[in-house]
Amino acid sequence: MGTVETGGGARKRRGFLDYAAIVIPGIGRVRAQKEPFARAWERENERALASGEPLWVALGDSMSQGIGAADISGGWVAQLRDRLDGVAVLNLSVTGARIGDVLTDQLPRLHDLGVRPRLVTLMVGANDMLLRKRRRGAPDEFRAVLDRLPGCDAVIATLPQGVTEAQEINAVLDREAAAGRLRVAEMRGGALGSWRGSLAEDFFHPNERGYARIAAVFEDPVRRSLREPRRQ
């Protein structure tokens, strides 16, 4: 899930992570995955765009990049993609992204590509919930993201955090799902089970086993969206 490092607060956060990486070497190893994973997805995206197959567009943060797995094939997006037929993945997620980054970077990038996706998935918000100052305005930004999604089916992950802003975002998702405008991938409560043995060596991101659980949560609503379109 990572962090977006801007401003003085980010410098403090970066210093903390640098120190933590010395104490727990696994943190540094997982942080070092950011660039190679991004490059790997760029190659996959080129193949997806050239495939001529219907596109599933993945938006979000490091969770959709698969950070923490041995390589991108172990992330939830790739694990689920490999179980689906007749769809290619265009992964526009970015490690460290927050809700506002989906709004101002990822959705404009999708628009500029000029493609019409068959499905969009979104898993974002964990980085916004880390600090109180980041949570301010997050529900409004999330609503703006939903308003700007392309006119196709969408599967959106709920937020498992118990803070007020996460609950407000989840309430919006519940209302939109009840109205038939999207489907949710339910991350609240015990949906993902115990994380014992399912975390990467930074003790923050999932490993392949953890990502398999996330893929399982997304699989049913994704399959139903591909089989029974809701949004036109």
Side-chain angles (χ1 to χ4, degrees), residues 31-47 65 67 71-72 91 93-95 109:
R31 288 175 68 194
Q33 293 178 325
K34 177 180 177 179
E35 294 303 327
F37 276 43
R39 289 193 297 269
W41 276 117
E42 286 175 4
R43 294 190 292 270
E44 291 292 316
N45 288 345
E46 291 176 1
R47 285 192 280 268
Q65 284 279 291
I67 298 294
D71 55 50
I72 65 169
N91 193 337
S93 65
V94 176
T95 297
R109 285 166 57 203

Side-chain angles (χ1 to χ4, degrees), residues 101-114:
D101 298 308
V102 176
L103 184 64
T104 62
D105 175 46
Q106 295 177 36
L107 285 172
R109 285 166 57 203
L110 174 57
H111 179 269
D112 290 346
L113 286 171

Side-chain angles (χ1 to χ4, degrees), residues 79-136:
Q79 288 193 48
L80 181 51
R81 175 199 61 187
D82 292 345
R83 296 202 290 269
L84 301 173
D85 295 321
V87 65
V89 172
L90 179 65
N91 193 337
L92 300 182
S93 65
V94 176
T95 297
R98 290 158 60 183
I99 298 166
D101 298 308
V102 176
L103 184 64
T104 62
D105 175 46
Q106 295 177 36
L107 285 172
R109 285 166 57 203
L110 174 57
H111 179 269
D112 290 346
L113 286 171
V115 298
R116 298 185 65 179
R118 176 65 185 77
L119 171 71
V120 168
T121 59
L122 173 64
M123 187 176 188
V124 74
N127 293 321
D128 299 80
M129 299 300 120
L130 287 173
L131 300 172
R132 181 177 298 174
K133 64 180 180 180
R134 291 186 179 183
R135 297 198 293 268
R136 299 191 193 106

Side-chain angles (χ1 to χ4, degrees), residues 4-208:
V4 176
E5 299 178 342
T6 57
R11 285 193 293 271
K12 293 178 182 178
R13 177 72 177 170
R14 185 166 59 242
F16 170 78
L17 290 175
D18 289 340
Y19 173 76
I22 296 172
V23 178
I24 306 174
I27 292 177
R29 287 193 288 269
V30 172
R31 288 175 68 194
Q33 293 178 325
K34 177 180 177 179
E35 294 303 327
F37 276 43
R39 289 193 297 269
W41 276 117
E42 286 175 4
R43 294 190 292 270
E44 291 292 316
N45 288 345
E46 291 176 1
R47 285 192 280 268
L49 289 169
S51 71
E53 292 185 313
L55 289 176
W56 156 19
V57 175
L59 305 174
D61 54 29
S62 60
M63 300 288 278
S64 293
Q65 284 279 291
I67 298 294
D71 55 50
I72 65 169
S73 68
W76 79 265
V77 171
Q79 288 193 48
L80 181 51
R81 175 199 61 187
D82 292 345
R83 296 202 290 269
L84 301 173
D85 295 321
V87 65
V89 172
L90 179 65
N91 193 337
L92 300 182
S93 65
V94 176
T95 297
R98 290 158 60 183
I99 298 166
D101 298 308
V102 176
L103 184 64
T104 62
D105 175 46
Q106 295 177 36
L107 285 172
R109 285 166 57 203
L110 174 57
H111 179 269
D112 290 346
L113 286 171
V115 298
R116 298 185 65 179
R118 176 65 185 77
L119 171 71
V120 168
T121 59
L122 173 64
M123 187 176 188
V124 74
N127 293 321
D128 299 80
M129 299 300 120
L130 287 173
L131 300 172
R132 181 177 298 174
K133 64 180 180 180
R134 291 186 179 183
R135 297 198 293 268
R136 299 191 193 106
D140 288 337
E141 287 184 322
F142 209 101
R143 292 187 189 94
V145 168
L146 296 182
D147 288 342
R148 287 166 175 76
L149 289 177
C152 65
D153 272 57
V155 178
I156 317 293
T158 56
L159 300 182
Q161 295 85 359
V163 297
T164 300
E165 292 82 0
Q167 293 174 355
E168 186 175 342
I169 288 170
N170 289 337
V172 171
L173 291 175
D174 289 339
R175 288 194 296 270
E176 293 293 298
R181 288 187 283 269
L182 55 82
R183 289 185 169 96
V184 299
E186 185 57 78
M187 302 290 171
R188 288 171 287 190
L192 294 173
S194 171
W195 283 100
R196 184 175 182 179
S198 298
L199 292 176
E201 55 184 340
D202 64 350
F203 300 104
F204 181 67
H205 289 89
N207 58 20
E208 289 86 346

